[in-house]
Amino acid sequence: MTTATQTRRIVRAFHDARTNGDFATAATHLAPAFSFQSPMLGFDDSTDYLASHAQFQQFVTGLDMISDLYGDDEATLVYDLRTATPAGTQRTAEHFKLEDGRIASILLIFDASEWRPLLAAAGVLRGAE
Amino acid sequence: MTTATQTRRIVRAFHDARTNGDFATAATHLAPAFSFQSPMLGFDDSTDYLASHAQFQQFVTGLDMISDLYGDDEATLVYDLRTATPAGTQRTAEHFKLEDGRIASILLIFDASEWRPLLAAAGVLRGAE
């Protein structure tokens, strides 16, 4: 089991790495069996997730952390993500589940109302014609 | 300061009370200066919030808790809320901030994409014509 103190260290290292664009380091914190779910996207592969996140990160201009809480084998961050998109600032919650000291799943929760038309227009929504 | 153990007791008592429709008990856990923010609604008054929640609770058929984490003066729950509405099951994160042993703010985060047309159709969206 990963203790709350270890969870904090791992999740923060992962979060700092992906925020700084260091996806090689971020990848070392993801478990071999990894899954990601958000309102609009899902991945069962850490490489696909990181590639998607790297694209999105280009539009991120800042992050205001509201809360970070850590438990044994899990953590939840709550933050306002500032983006250079018409959606502006996006309030977001992110839950991490750890297995053997690595992040095995991420659940991302946010109001996708303003993102759906943007992504549909860009033609990048999964399944879009 | 409210310790993590006290926070857990207070937030769970509040959550159990509102889930069971005991809004009198739920109200005792809310601070005099209380605020609520969700993707679609905001309240600066605990009475208004509880009245709104009581209406919504009628459509809730179940709740599957994914995570509950508690800290000093704050907590975050992540859950799937089952509803008897076309929106179906709604993944939700809820952050609580405590002051002097009472809940002073709630931030609710969920994908409102399917709720906006429902509420607009029902004419209950704040500011709707």
Side-chain angles (χ1 to χ4, degrees), chain A:
Chain A
M1 193 175 73
T2 311
T3 68
T5 301
Q6 291 169 322
T7 299
R8 178 190 296 261
R9 183 177 52 75
I10 293 160
V11 169
R12 292 191 77 111
F14 169 75
H15 175 65
D16 289 347
R18 71 175 174 183
T19 301
N20 295 329
D22 181 359
F23 297 106
T25 297
T28 66
H29 296 294
L30 299 180
F34 169 83
S35 72
F36 171 84
Q37 285 179 34
S38 84
M40 294 188 296
L41 293 172
F43 300 109
D44 288 318
D45 181 279
S46 61
T47 304
D48 291 345
Y49 159 70
L50 285 172
S52 169
H53 185 83
Q55 286 194 307
F56 178 70
Q57 189 67 28
Q58 301 175 59
F59 300 101
V60 173
T61 57
L63 186 151
D64 300 313
M65 192 68 76
I66 295 171
S67 167
D68 57 326
L69 290 170
Y70 304 91
D72 297 337
D73 290 321
E74 61 167 333
T76 303
L77 309 182
V78 179
Y79 50 83
D80 282 340
L81 197 66
R82 283 178 269 129
T83 73
T85 75
T89 297
Q90 183 68 62
R91 182 153 294 164
T92 304
E94 188 168 16
H95 177 259
F96 301 84
K97 191 97 186 79
L98 277 73
E99 284 176 16
D100 300 327
R102 294 215 246 174
I103 296 165
S105 78
I106 294 177
L107 304 180
L108 201 68
I109 305 171
F110 62 91
D111 180 7
S113 302
E114 297 198 51
W115 292 98
R116 292 183 189 279
L118 287 177
L119 292 195
V124 298
L125 187 61
R126 179 172 284 193
E129 294 302 312

Side-chain angles (χ1 to χ4, degrees), chain B residues 15 19 60-65 79-82:
Chain B
H15 176 65
T19 301
V60 174
T61 58
L63 186 150
D64 301 313
M65 192 68 76
Y79 49 82
D80 281 340
L81 197 66
R82 283 177 271 131

Side-chain angles (χ1 to χ4, degrees), chain B residues 31-102:
Chain B
F34 169 82
S35 71
F36 171 85
Q37 286 179 34
S38 84
M40 294 187 297
L41 293 170
F43 300 109
D44 287 319
D45 181 279
S46 61
T47 305
D48 292 344
Y49 159 69
L50 285 172
S52 169
H53 186 82
Q55 287 195 308
F56 178 70
Q57 190 67 28
Q58 301 174 60
F59 300 100
V60 174
T61 58
L63 186 150
D64 301 313
M65 192 68 76
I66 295 170
S67 167
D68 57 326
L69 289 170
Y70 304 91
D72 298 338
D73 291 321
E74 61 168 333
T76 303
L77 310 182
V78 179
Y79 49 82
D80 281 340
L81 197 66
R82 283 177 271 131
T83 73
T85 76
T89 296
Q90 183 69 61
R91 180 153 294 164
T92 304
E94 189 168 15
H95 178 259
F96 301 84
K97 190 98 186 79
L98 278 72
E99 284 175 17
D100 299 327
R102 293 216 246 174

